[in-house]
Amino acid sequence: MYHRSIHERDQFWTEIAGELYFENLDSSASTHNFDPSRGPVHVKWFEGARTNMAYNCLEKQIENGMGDKRALIFEANDEINCTEFTFRELLVEVETFAKFLIAHGVQKGDRVVMYLPMIPALPIAMLACSRIGAVHSVVFAGYSAKSLAQRVHDCKAKMVITASASRRAEKIIPLKKIVDEAMEICKSDGFCVNKVVVKHNADIEIEGVPHVEDVPFHSDRDLWWNESVAEFRTDGKPAPIEFLDSCDTAFILYTSGSTGKPKGVVHSVGGYQTYVYATSKFVFDLHAGEDVLFCTADLGWITGHSYGLYGPLLNGCATVLFEGVPTYPDAGVWWQTVDKYDVTVFYTSPTALRTLQGYGEDPVKRSSRASLRILGTVGEPISSETWLWYHSVVGDDKLPICDTWWQTETGGHIITPLPGATPLKASSATFPFFGIVPVLLDPKDGTEIQGEGEGCLCIKEPWPGMFLDVHGAHERYENSYFKVYEGGYYFSGDGARRDSDGYLFITGRLDDVMNVSGHRIGTAEVESALVQHSSCIEAAVVSIAHEVKGESIVAYVILDPSRSIEKRSSLEIHQRELITNVRMEIGPFAAPERVVIVKDLPKTRSGKIMRRILKKIAAGDVDDFGDVSALADPGVVDEIIKAERHAR
Ligand code: WTA
């Protein structure tokens, strides 16, 4: 199949797409160009064919006889709010919400931002947008008001959907308040959102969640989900559906790059759904009506989009939506959830596994996990130790592990084993998926490395899950991904090593993108958050290895010398304030572990910060800095080492 997928590429993918509902599918209608020297870069799969992703997730499955099978299983943060929806029941929810969207002026192509916790309202809203051809842009509900505002404004959202609060273990986060703040920021930047829809969390009142009357509400703009949606449930009218061109936009999802503000990654309806359908089917060996996929990623990330929602539904399988945290009420909750719903495929991140590893085997062994067939991991490199723990403790020495390497931009799995078919090696993502031609390029001259070796991981040929554009910034699309090396390669930003058997091992980012607990964060984003502080003149941020989070952030900042900050207490206040700034500007997950106040930063004569040196200092590796001849003032290195010792 792999051979065919490469040599008869368009025919291969057209046949797979044909397993879903498309009108006018034609294998000669796909056109692509990865090489900017041959004209504008473009990726167009099945142009001219018409389809609808929500239709394929719901009606198509009902037609296939899955109507009464479970589609969405909601494991709430508390026991009493758990619910399940069959395909038919989920369709009713989606149709109802689609009618509501239309009635409030949302049309094909309009952007709708969701800032919601992991509750059924989120997948329902996403599917309703897909149904009417509106473009959803889900913003992870851990982002700050400023980050939310930036995304809402960038995609010019017509509507924002949120919840009164998000619940994580015992913690209640007032989401609506954050949205109000974000709307104020948008307004002061001259942009207004028409409507804010608020879902009350939870449906069954439980202690601690703010009561409806305590949630801030602006009656000219805000709508309560339950009240306003109800009338469309019983109106007896058919729900509209919009069949789109395969190349129309399905959704925009923002992600961090190495420079500047987050990029709005644009995915197409036809290509994305075909690729997510195929990867879910083959990598997770999904069988309609039988499998239950539990993907622990939040729907606010691409992993949640592709394998927590669209992938399983497109295959007629159930998906588990898990609201809480992996350690509440105790560290065995995920395995109890597996037993409770007969989960067959479990997909998580190395960070989560490392956290649970810390609790020992007991919480795992209290469950049977008898239903499990396949384990998956994604988001960061997984060490052999964690891989083996996953395999032997969670998988009882028998379950295959699919270490799947991919990115927001790629839509779905790129390098991954096929369970049962690919002999595994601990901590290797193994081989390319169908249709994928990965290459390792020499970082210095961009030549392809053959056989054993290490280099920049790039991809040569287009595949259907490939993103179409950076929203509103096509030049950035070409520059960041296709012009880094000449010759028509998609540049991933990651490094990889190929062993003598051809197995690929991902080594991590080669650019200025950090990976903290599997979250992508750009150094530039954190630095710009730090310099927002009135006392901060300049900042440089690096990441170091962290036992649980994979990487953690260390910030080096220069404070304004005109402020009297010599006193130790004042320094500590500044450090705390600077960390708060990052929490406010981006979100708590991007907060630096340590802020080191320095007088100067290691720069080249042309003023470029040598992060390589800071990285070594942060890691405590100060014996050999390699070639430092480019430094404008070599003396700063010792100064920073001293400041670092002080900060610890
Ligand atoms: C990293 C998540 C090693 C990588 C799907 C990539 C991985 C970034 C793996 C994308 C893996 C993802 N092994 N590293 N199996 N999977 N990564 O866009 O650095 O949130 O570039 O997509 O995560 O993160 P994103």
Side-chain angles (χ1 to χ4, degrees):
M1 271 178 84
Y2 179 75
H3 187 264
R4 211 183 144 230
S5 74
I6 303 300
H7 297 284
E8 294 167 41
R9 185 186 61 201
D10 292 357
Q11 182 63 33
F12 175 90
W13 285 117
T14 310
E15 279 169 29
I16 296 212
E19 294 176 23
L20 301 170
Y21 180 81
F22 274 90
E23 287 160 24
N24 305 328
L25 201 54
D26 171 1
S27 64
S28 61
S30 300
T31 58
H32 326 279
N33 175 35
F34 266 21
D35 188 351
S37 70
R38 296 185 179 176
V41 174
H42 67 275
V43 182
K44 291 192 162 157
W45 286 92
F46 324 122
E47 199 173 11
R50 301 195 81 73
T51 188
N52 182 288
M53 193 148 66
Y55 181 86
N56 275 314
C57 285
L58 300 168
E59 278 101 324
K60 169 91 178 147
Q61 305 308 327
I62 295 169
E63 227 171 76
N64 291 350
M66 297 302 134
D68 297 323
K69 298 279 186 184
R70 296 181 295 179
L72 180 67
I73 298 168
F74 175 50
E75 177 65 14
N77 190 58
D78 62 275
E79 265 171 49
I80 49 174
N81 276 288
C82 301
T83 44
E84 295 186 11
F85 301 81
T86 63
F87 279 92
R88 225 185 289 281
E89 287 164 346
L90 186 57
L91 175 62
V92 172
E93 299 301 320
V94 170
E95 285 181 331
T96 306
F97 199 69
K99 285 193 259 182
F100 163 85
L101 288 174
I102 296 275
H104 285 91
V106 178
Q107 293 174 351
K108 178 187 163 188
D110 286 343
R111 271 82 55 212
V112 176
V113 164
M114 285 129 207
Y115 186 73
L116 278 160
M118 288 282 279
I119 56 174
L122 180 50
I124 290 167
M126 289 167 80
L127 288 164
C129 282
S130 294
R131 184 178 172 94
I132 63 165
V135 174
H136 61 67
S137 186
V138 185
V139 177
F140 170 58
Y143 275 110
S144 66
K146 279 212 176 156
S147 291
L148 172 61
Q150 190 179 38
R151 286 156 176 76
V152 166
H153 193 165
D154 188 81
C155 75
K156 307 236 163 26
K158 203 164 195 179
M159 181 184 269
V160 173
I161 305 174
T162 188
S164 48
S166 122
R167 308 183 294 142
R168 301 179 60 73
E170 315 251 296
K171 214 156 113 195
I172 309 273
I173 303 140
L175 291 190
K176 175 59 174 36
K177 242 162 88 185
I178 300 173
V179 169
D180 284 349
E181 235 178 281
M183 295 302 98
E184 283 306 310
I185 298 169
C186 282
K187 214 194 267 172
S188 64
D189 292 341
F191 178 72
C192 274
V193 169
N194 294 358
K195 289 278 172 243
V196 174
V197 182
V198 194
K199 179 84 180 88
H200 190 47
N201 187 7
D203 275 340
I204 301 173
E205 293 276 339
I206 51 161
E207 217 179 310
V209 177
H211 290 286
V212 172
E213 57 273 19
D214 297 335
V215 177
F217 198 81
H218 304 265
S219 50
D220 52 334
R221 184 200 67 194
D222 300 348
L223 291 163
W224 278 110
W225 174 305
N226 287 20
E227 275 169 34
S228 358
V229 173
E231 63 176 288
F232 300 98
R233 185 181 292 276
T234 49
D235 64 0
K237 293 189 190 140
I241 182 159
E242 187 84 41
F243 285 88
L244 304 171
D245 188 283
S246 174
C247 298
D248 279 343
T249 302
F251 62 85
I252 300 173
L253 187 58
Y254 286 86
T255 191
S256 298
S258 54
T259 50
K261 57 177 196 171
K263 296 185 257 219
V265 169
V266 177
H267 278 288
S268 72
V269 179
Y272 174 81
Q273 76 174 353
T274 302
Y275 198 66
V276 161
Y277 164 73
T279 47
S280 308
K281 174 171 168 163
F282 295 116
V283 177
F284 294 142
D285 188 33
L286 295 185
H287 296 265
E290 291 176 23
D291 283 289
V292 181
L293 206 161
F294 180 6
C295 165
T296 67
D298 194 284
L299 285 182
W301 307 116
I302 191 70
T303 306
H305 280 56
S306 300
Y307 303 106
L309 181 64
Y310 291 117
L313 296 189
L314 287 168
N315 279 281
C317 293
T319 181
V320 176
L321 189 69
F322 185 89
E323 185 183 16
V325 300
T327 49
Y328 175 82
D330 61 56
V333 63
W334 278 357
W335 320 120
Q336 299 302 331
T337 305
V338 165
D339 282 358
K340 186 170 169 188
Y341 300 116
D342 291 325
V343 169
T344 57
V345 182
F346 180 79
Y347 193 33
T348 195
S349 67
T351 290
L353 292 171
R354 286 189 299 264
T355 305
L356 295 178
Q357 237 181 314
Y359 288 83
E361 297 185 9
D362 261 16
V364 187
K365 297 299 180 193
R366 268 188 271 124
S367 62
S368 89
R369 284 156 289 111
S371 53
L372 280 180
R373 295 195 298 119
I374 294 164
L375 302 175
T377 158
V378 60
E380 333 141 55
I382 181 166
S383 68
S384 314
E385 192 216 340
T386 303
W387 194 101
L388 287 167
W389 185 84
Y390 200 19
H391 175 64
S392 61
V393 179
V394 178
D396 286 327
D397 287 317
K398 57 177 201 271
L399 298 187
I401 293 184
C402 294
D403 175 4
T404 60
W405 175 84
W406 58 294
Q407 308 177 296
T408 305
E409 294 87 337
T410 72
H413 305 145
I414 295 288
I415 315 267
T416 174
L418 297 179
T422 311
L424 305 174
K425 286 194 187 190
S427 91
S428 171
T430 74
F431 303 110
F433 187 71
F434 301 125
I436 301 296
V437 185
V439 292
L440 299 183
L441 296 187
D442 185 317
K444 290 199 189 77
D445 58 17
T447 55
E448 284 188 28
I449 298 169
Q450 307 293 339
E452 231 180 311
E454 190 170 333
C456 266
L457 179 54
C458 293
I459 307 166
K460 234 170 152 168
E461 301 285 336
W463 65 97
M466 174 64 186
F467 74 130
L468 301 198
D469 211 348
V470 173
H471 180 68
H474 187 74
E475 215 170 283
R476 207 171 163 200
Y477 178 69
E478 296 211 351
N479 292 341
S480 315
Y481 297 101
F482 299 96
K483 288 191 176 161
V484 183
Y485 292 105
E486 278 176 20
Y489 300 102
Y490 164 75
F491 171 77
S492 74
D494 277 298
R497 176 170 66 81
R498 196 191 290 117
D499 75 3
S500 54
D501 297 326
Y503 280 69
L504 288 164
F505 293 77
I506 311 298
T507 52
R509 300 291 302 200
L510 299 172
D511 54 8
D512 290 332
V513 174
M514 302 174 288
N515 191 327
V516 181
S517 301
H519 301 324
R520 253 169 91 163
I521 305 166
T523 47
E525 282 171 79
V526 181
E527 287 163 3
S528 97
L530 289 164
V531 298
Q532 299 286 323
H533 189 287
S534 55
S535 304
C536 181
I537 303 185
E538 205 178 349
V541 153
V542 294
S543 65
I544 53 169
H546 186 280
E547 220 172 284
V548 176
K549 296 195 250 176
E551 288 180 14
S552 68
I553 302 175
V554 180
Y556 295 88
V557 303
I558 306 176
L559 295 182
D560 185 344
S562 66
R563 298 179 181 236
S564 54
I565 44 170
E566 287 302 325
K567 273 199 241 109
R568 197 182 163 86
S569 62
S570 154
L571 280 178
E572 277 166 13
I573 293 169
H574 273 93
Q575 281 161 329
R576 235 176 298 136
E577 279 180 11
L578 285 160
I579 291 175
T580 307
N581 251 48
V582 179
R583 297 173 71 95
M584 304 289 287
E585 293 282 325
I586 306 172
F589 61 91
E593 177 116 327
R594 200 161 70 231
V595 171
V596 185
I597 292 169
V598 294
K599 294 210 168 65
D600 207 351
L601 291 167
K603 285 184 188 160
T604 62
R605 275 173 214 99
S606 59
K608 204 170 169 320
I609 295 169
M610 290 179 78
R611 282 212 178 71
R612 177 174 67 77
I613 291 178
L614 288 176
K615 230 175 146 79
K616 285 199 149 217
I617 298 175
D621 175 14
V622 294
D623 296 332
D624 179 16
F625 288 107
D627 182 12
V628 292
S629 57
L631 271 181
D633 173 11
V636 293
V637 175
D638 283 336
E639 284 259 8
I640 297 171
I641 294 173
K642 257 191 245 153
E644 172 76 49
R645 293 215 173 104
H646 210 64
R648 284 183 192 208

